[in-house]
Amino acid sequence: MTVPRDPDAARVRARAARDKLMGTVGTLQQRLKPANLAQEAVENAKQSVTSIAREGTEAVRTRPWLAAAVTSGIGLVFARGWIVDIFRKGKHETAGLPKGSATQNSNAEG
């Protein structure tokens, strides 16, 4: 591309390029403000959560038994400490009582 060597035309092109660059810089400054970045992050998070919730809801509707099994499994994993404590507690309470002890005597009296 041949450009005429006219200084006035060169100044006009330079001015137009400078104005375009300043407009771009202004746009970038607006987009990079912390408040705008935070708002954009919140909006993206909302969209992601909404999308995941829709997909999860659809998965549960199509396979409710699988969803119940997975949920139960997760609940058992979280409650495994309590479950173990319950079984250990029950084992210790009955293991220490001799035959014919207070539990049998209280049943015989009542």
Side-chain angles (χ1 to χ4, degrees), residues 23-43:
T24 302
V25 168
T27 302
L28 286 174
Q29 285 176 336
Q30 275 300 108
R31 290 184 66 188
L32 294 177
K33 281 185 179 179
N36 292 343
L37 288 175
Q39 182 179 3
E40 187 175 332
V42 167
E43 288 173 6

Side-chain angles (χ1 to χ4, degrees), residues 51-68:
S51 173
I52 290 170
R54 282 187 190 131
E55 290 172 8
T57 302
E58 186 61 31
V60 169
R61 284 183 182 154
T62 57
R63 296 178 291 278
W65 290 106
L66 178 62

